[in-house]
Amino acid sequence: MIKATKKWLTMKISSGLLIPFMVWFIINCVSLFDANSSQITFFLSNTPNKIIFCLFILLAFIFFTLTITEVFEDYIRDIKFKNAANRILVLFSIVMTLLLVIFLIKI
């Protein structure tokens, strides 16, 4: 399969998978809107909620990275600058995803 086709297919699958996670997040975010810190900590310390939230974060950063990479491909003409921007973006996404998951696991 062509690299661009794999990228396009991964982007479409990740965006489709993000829809139920966004619904879950919005419903729970509304229910936690007036919660105090102990209720939020209890919610985030619940194992199923941790797993779902970690998957949501992972999918969101995959989608974010692929989408911004496409913007770089379309609008940056210099190959060296484009490659550097893509590498920095991927590094940022990996580091941020790992940090968020680690902090979420420690709750």
Side-chain angles (χ1 to χ4, degrees):
M1 191 180 298
I2 300 171
K3 182 180 176 184
T5 306
K6 279 195 246 183
K7 193 179 204 180
W8 180 85
L9 193 57
T10 305
M11 205 160 67
K12 296 303 174 191
I13 290 170
S14 65
S15 67
L17 290 174
L18 270 174
I19 294 170
F21 286 104
M22 280 299 290
V23 171
W24 174 85
F25 181 73
I26 291 169
I27 289 170
N28 287 306
C29 190
V30 167
S31 68
L32 291 174
F33 186 69
D34 290 328
N36 58 24
S37 62
S38 64
Q39 291 169 325
I40 294 171
T41 304
F42 176 74
F43 173 77
L44 290 175
S45 64
N46 189 1
T47 304
N49 289 338
K50 277 186 184 182
I51 293 170
I52 292 171
F53 199 64
C54 286
L55 288 172
F56 172 65
I57 290 169
L58 180 68
L59 282 171
F61 272 104
I62 288 171
F63 183 73
F64 161 77
T65 303
L66 290 173
T67 304
I68 300 299
T69 301
E70 282 301 309
V71 172
F72 289 165
E73 291 291 326
D74 291 340
Y75 293 106
I76 299 176
R77 300 207 189 273
D78 184 20
I79 300 289
K80 290 180 184 179
F81 189 64
K82 186 187 315 183
N83 288 339
N86 281 329
R87 288 182 181 162
I88 290 170
L89 175 69
V90 169
L91 179 67
F92 171 77
S93 293
I94 290 170
V95 168
M96 287 304 296
T97 303
L98 286 175
L99 284 175
L100 286 171
V101 169
I102 288 169
F103 288 141
L104 188 63
I105 290 172
K106 289 191 177 208
I107 292 179

